[in-house]
Amino acid sequence: MTEIQTYAAIVVGGGAVGLSAARELGRRGIHTLVLEAGPLFHDHASSAGTERHSRVQYSQEDLSRLALETAAEWDRLESESGRRLRHRVGSLWFGDVDVDTNEGQITSAARVMDKLDIPYEWLTAREITDRFGFRDLPADYAGFLQPDGGIVDVKATLLALYELSIRSGVHVTPNAPVRSIEPETDTVRVVTDSGTYRTSSLVVAAGPATARLLRPFGVDMDYRVFEMANLSFVPSNGRVELPFWFAFQQPTERDTNLFYGFGPRPWATDSACRVAPMFEIDEITAETVPTLRPKAYDVDRVHDWVRTHMPMLEARAVSATTCLAVLPRDPARQFYFGPVTAPGAGTARIATFAAGWGFKFVPILGRVLADWACTGKTDVDVQRLSVS
Ligand SMILES: Cc1cc2nc3c(=O)[nH]c(=O)nc-3n(C[C@H](O)[C@H](O)[C@H](O)COP(=O)(O)OP(=O)(O)OC[C@H]3O[C@@H](n4cnc5c(N)ncnc54)[C@H](O)[C@@H]3O)c2cc1C
């Protein structure tokens, strides 16, 4: 029988969140192992692609506060890694100001910004058209530009977290899918094809596989998985300057009718701009392997949006990719993120991040997961997002 190796902490999943937890455990001097099912930095999961939106405006005050608190963690990550990770190009929300979406609502987000003294500039449809070059927006559309939001560089963030983890002695093992996690009295056993490991401090950030892996502990999470499309367009006339933008619209019969996008990535040499639909339709099962090919329906809808409203871009996309989104079925909860306190956990300390639009929070998610895995407690106010 092969020997069981013991680690002070084990992290299952080497995406952005798992690596962030590993970096935090490593910097606290904790002997940590990361087990990642695929190769490092692969594009078949949620931390795929090149950029993410970072913002401080939320319709929920606690999430706005958390986003403000995360800014200091991004600063720390940038300074420790010596890498530039965020670019404050601004975050532009516009459209029907009262429509409720998974992203939030323009009116209530403005109310929260007023309460927390977060600066923003209110804009009419006319001002949005004149200033940013959108076309044919309904006259009653409005919105705001929040200057602190912008773009996060995904690959640089993954590299920063990986390098800092390795530097602090964390063992990162790619191509090691965890088959099961078994409860013991005060520890857990983590089983892979090439070895079995034991720990009393476990972090599970395995995207769609998280609920299955934690089922033996009595954890119940109700999330859905979607393969979301991203399309890249080149400017129609030289260079385009755009903040991150999100268009809030009334849903159609078939989809949410929500679109968002980025201007050229400040760190890239090309000038491609990304446009994507935020349609939560055609749910896939948690263990389905992504096709990496966007659905024709999504591609057509994005082309329609660009043709109608974005004359600054060529009408045909130059490339298209996908990314796995894992989202709680109940849009009001936004995240599954918490310590696992179910009876099956015994005295082992288990923490998980399973679902939600989480990239903008990556550094603080890692810190809090490490807090829970080490002590079972955190001083960050995230109780509402907990798993049951
Ligand atoms: C199209 C799209 C746009 C998004 N836009 C934004 C945005 O603008 N702003 C924002 O904040 N967030 C955004 N998000 C969400 C954000 O990207 C995710 O919340 C974040 O990347 C989640 O990281 P993660 O590490 O939890 O998951 P993942 O990156 O999915 O990592 C999980 C890892 O676990 C591994 N794994 C799975 N099963 C096992 C197993 N059995 N054993 C070992 N390892 C396993 C996987 O291979 C994977 O590498 C977006 C997501 C998508 C899809």
Side-chain angles (χ1 to χ4, degrees), residues 111-128:
R111 213 176 297 128
V112 171
M113 288 193 289
D114 288 339
K115 180 160 181 207
L116 300 184
D117 277 333
I118 296 173
Y120 67 92
E121 187 181 355
W122 190 259
L123 299 164
T124 62
R126 181 65 193 267
E127 286 165 331
I128 292 162

Side-chain angles (χ1 to χ4, degrees), residues 3-310:
E3 202 186 316
I4 297 180
Q5 293 180 56
T6 299
Y7 278 83
I10 294 179
V11 176
V12 180
V17 176
L19 287 176
S20 181
R23 169 241 181 181
E24 273 295 327
L25 290 161
R27 70 195 295 277
R28 295 174 199 193
I30 293 164
H31 183 47
T32 301
L33 171 69
V34 177
L35 294 165
E36 162 54 44
L40 291 177
F41 318 140
H42 66 83
D43 273 340
H44 293 215
S46 293
S47 306
T50 51
E51 71 272 86
R52 290 290 183 276
H53 176 208
S54 133
R55 62 170 154 129
V56 291
Q57 74 270 14
Y58 269 92
S59 296
Q60 300 79 10
E61 186 179 329
D62 59 346
L63 293 180
S64 255
R65 287 186 188 281
L66 187 65
L68 292 169
E69 201 172 342
T70 307
E73 297 292 333
W74 279 110
D75 290 342
R76 188 160 66 92
L77 180 56
E78 287 182 324
S79 122
E80 284 177 14
S81 67
R83 289 180 179 276
R84 172 105 188 254
L85 307 176
R86 290 161 306 164
H87 298 262
R88 290 189 184 82
V89 297
S91 174
L92 172 68
W93 278 17
F94 65 88
D96 179 328
V97 298
D98 294 319
V99 71
D100 271 320
T101 75
N102 251 357
E103 190 77 351
Q105 190 209 48
I106 293 174
T107 309
S108 53
R111 213 176 297 128
V112 171
M113 288 193 289
D114 288 339
K115 180 160 181 207
L116 300 184
D117 277 333
I118 296 173
Y120 67 92
E121 187 181 355
W122 190 259
L123 299 164
T124 62
R126 181 65 193 267
E127 286 165 331
I128 292 162
T129 307
D130 291 349
R131 202 149 135 195
F132 303 106
F134 289 92
R135 180 174 67 194
D136 284 343
L137 300 179
D140 59 349
Y141 274 16
F144 57 75
L145 179 69
Q146 203 295 318
D148 302 313
I151 310 187
V152 182
D153 182 337
V154 168
K155 297 296 187 229
T157 302
L158 291 169
L159 266 174
L161 295 168
Y162 173 75
E163 287 166 353
L164 290 170
S165 298
I166 295 292
R167 221 180 284 163
S168 61
V170 172
H171 294 177
V172 179
T173 311
N175 303 309
V178 170
R179 300 300 177 195
S180 62
I181 305 173
E182 298 162 6
E184 298 180 317
T185 314
D186 52 2
T187 53
V188 299
R189 276 188 349 155
V190 180
V191 180
T192 72
D193 297 338
S194 54
T196 298
Y197 305 89
R198 176 171 283 134
T199 189
S200 55
S201 295
L202 177 74
V203 171
V204 184
T210 305
R212 175 179 60 78
L213 291 171
L214 288 176
R215 204 159 296 132
F217 298 88
V219 176
D220 186 21
M221 288 186 269
D222 188 10
Y223 54 68
R224 300 185 296 165
V225 186
F226 302 94
E227 190 170 2
M228 302 275 209
N230 297 306
L231 279 71
S232 284
F233 294 80
V234 292
S236 51
N237 191 10
R239 203 171 157 79
V240 164
E241 278 193 27
L242 276 173
F244 168 87
W245 58 270
F246 194 105
F248 289 74
Q249 308 193 100
Q250 290 293 341
T252 67
E253 267 180 24
R254 174 117 194 247
D255 61 53
T256 54
N257 202 17
L258 302 173
F259 298 91
Y260 68 96
F262 300 84
R265 288 156 292 163
W267 60 89
T269 49
D270 65 24
S271 54
C273 300
R274 182 152 80 80
V275 183
M278 195 186 267
F279 298 166
E280 286 151 33
I281 50 175
D282 300 334
E283 179 182 347
I284 62 175
T285 70
E287 306 284 334
T288 304
V289 178
T291 64
L292 304 184
R293 278 193 308 277
K295 293 179 284 289
Y297 176 79
D298 292 7
V299 171
D300 289 348
R301 291 279 284 127
V302 170
H303 277 117
D304 280 350
W305 164 268
V306 168
R307 254 194 310 274
T308 312
H309 298 296
M310 301 189 72

